[in-house]
Amino acid sequence: MDSNLLPLLERIASALERLSPPAPSLGGLETADAFIWHPALGRLSPVAHVAHVDIGLLRGVERQRNMLLENTRHFAQGLPANNAMLWGARGMGKSSLVKAAHAQANMVDGKPAARGAGRVALVEIQREDLSTLPELLALLRESSRRFIVFCDDLSFEREDADYKALKSVLDGGIAGRPANVLFYATSNRRHLMPREMIENESSTAINTAEATEEKVSLSDRFGLWIGFHNCAQDTFMDMVRGYARERHLPIDDADLVRRANAWSLSRGGRSGRVAFQFIEDLTAELSAQE
């Protein structure tokens, strides 16, 4: 080989190495209790502070809160626990409950436990990265920590590769789901797919029962299935009052109720999200008047 070509080939090889994706790494697991999975980088990016609401402020979802919190605490203690699907009405605190339950499970005597391997870590994965779940789980299997892998606003428009990847993970596959990992997801759809898609599939199938069962089989693989529903007026006001008390807002109850009702009417509905957005606006307004 021409010796003059060697430097050029070395530069090409070096450039290809830089372009190739890095090997997955678990480095830095002790730096935080929450991470975001970046499959293109092959690593978990630590989140210094999780934006979560205190679990005591989540009103109107007491039954759902107790179910998820008990499951999360069992997992944190090394006891058997289920993958969980939180589905239902928008803005009713599904993702907020996941983050609040995670924070609560890491409390000891009402205070955050010392950061370390004994605490449960929350790992967020994006919907479009679900096909990399097997890679992520293989990585987490190597750690002594316990992890909740969380996918917010999960849904599918068709039975694509991501659907099949998640289905395989929930089944456990030949290796089984890692004992130190749970999967939590939220969705506005009960069965993760549009109703019309399930109905269309059933109407054209030879065996309609089998077609429907196949489409809903993914949601059935979540051991814990928790529904959220639209809140009534009194529940909405309970949410508003709870936020107002927590912030010590200088406003009488009658004025608070009047303003909250007007806000919900302008938003076309009532939910925990609408209550929080109202309190954000009200807090700013009252602060500006001081």
Side-chain angles (χ1 to χ4, degrees):
M1 178 182 295
D2 189 341
S3 59
N4 294 327
L5 289 177
L6 287 177
L8 175 61
L9 293 175
E10 290 174 354
R11 289 198 298 271
I12 293 174
S14 177
L16 290 174
E17 286 181 6
R18 289 195 299 270
L19 290 173
S20 62
S25 170
L26 272 176
L29 271 186
E30 304 308 317
T31 62
D33 287 322
F35 302 86
I36 297 175
W37 169 237
H38 296 288
L41 302 176
R43 64 180 176 86
L44 297 168
S45 174
V47 177
H49 175 72
V50 178
H52 73 273
V53 175
D54 184 271
I55 200 164
L57 293 174
L58 298 176
R59 308 300 179 89
V61 291
E62 287 76 12
R63 181 185 63 83
Q64 296 91 331
R65 178 194 65 200
N66 293 340
M67 290 174 65
L68 189 70
L69 185 54
E70 181 181 36
N71 191 67
T72 307
R73 281 175 169 162
H74 285 168
F75 178 64
Q77 295 164 8
L79 300 173
N82 280 304
N83 298 314
M85 165 60 67
L86 287 68
W87 65 273
R90 297 188 304 273
M92 283 304 294
K94 298 185 292 294
S95 60
S96 295
L97 181 54
V98 171
K99 291 180 283 188
H102 165 252
Q104 196 69 18
N106 283 335
M107 303 280 280
V108 176
D109 297 328
K111 297 180 180 179
R115 179 170 291 149
R119 292 166 61 106
V120 177
L122 187 68
V123 177
E124 184 177 55
I125 184 171
Q126 301 300 318
R127 157 67 182 82
E128 57 269 22
D129 295 330
L130 285 177
S131 61
T132 67
L133 257 177
E135 178 184 348
L136 173 60
L137 295 192
L139 191 65
L140 299 181
R141 190 190 296 270
E142 300 174 5
S143 173
S144 60
R145 293 198 72 174
R146 303 181 76 76
F147 300 91
I148 296 173
V149 177
F150 173 47
C151 184
D152 194 20
D153 198 19
L154 178 62
S155 65
F156 300 93
E157 297 303 323
R158 61 188 186 282
E159 193 173 326
D160 55 16
D162 295 334
Y163 177 96
K164 294 176 181 177
L166 179 56
K167 191 173 178 180
S168 175
V169 165
L170 295 178
D171 279 339
I174 190 170
R177 173 171 57 86
N180 65 327
V181 178
L182 276 188
F183 188 83
Y184 283 3
T186 68
S187 179
N188 295 329
R189 294 170 176 172
R190 185 175 184 180
H191 293 299
L192 303 178
M193 290 186 174
R195 177 180 294 274
E196 59 270 18
M197 177 180 173
I198 297 175
E199 292 175 347
N200 289 342
E201 184 80 8
S202 299
S203 64
T204 58
I206 296 176
N207 189 320
T208 58
E210 286 185 1
T212 301
E213 287 174 5
E214 177 62 24
K215 293 304 176 189
V216 304
S217 63
L218 178 59
S219 56
D220 286 345
R221 282 166 168 75
F222 289 90
L224 203 59
W225 212 37
I226 306 175
F228 289 69
H229 309 283
N230 293 317
C231 68
Q233 170 70 13
D234 58 344
T235 302
F236 176 71
M237 287 313 310
D238 192 26
M239 296 172 178
V240 168
R241 290 187 176 103
Y243 285 128
R245 283 195 299 268
E246 190 263 343
R247 298 192 180 192
H248 306 288
L249 297 183
I251 184 172
D252 65 77
D253 189 69
D255 195 19
L256 181 68
V257 170
R258 179 183 60 80
R259 292 186 180 213
N261 282 333
W263 181 274
S264 66
L265 287 172
S266 71
R267 298 304 302 274
R270 298 181 293 264
S271 70
R273 181 180 296 141
V274 171
F276 182 78
Q277 291 168 343
F278 163 68
I279 290 295
E280 289 278 88
D281 184 78
L282 181 62
T283 301
E285 178 184 337
L286 296 177
S287 297
Q289 294 174 2
E290 293 180 354

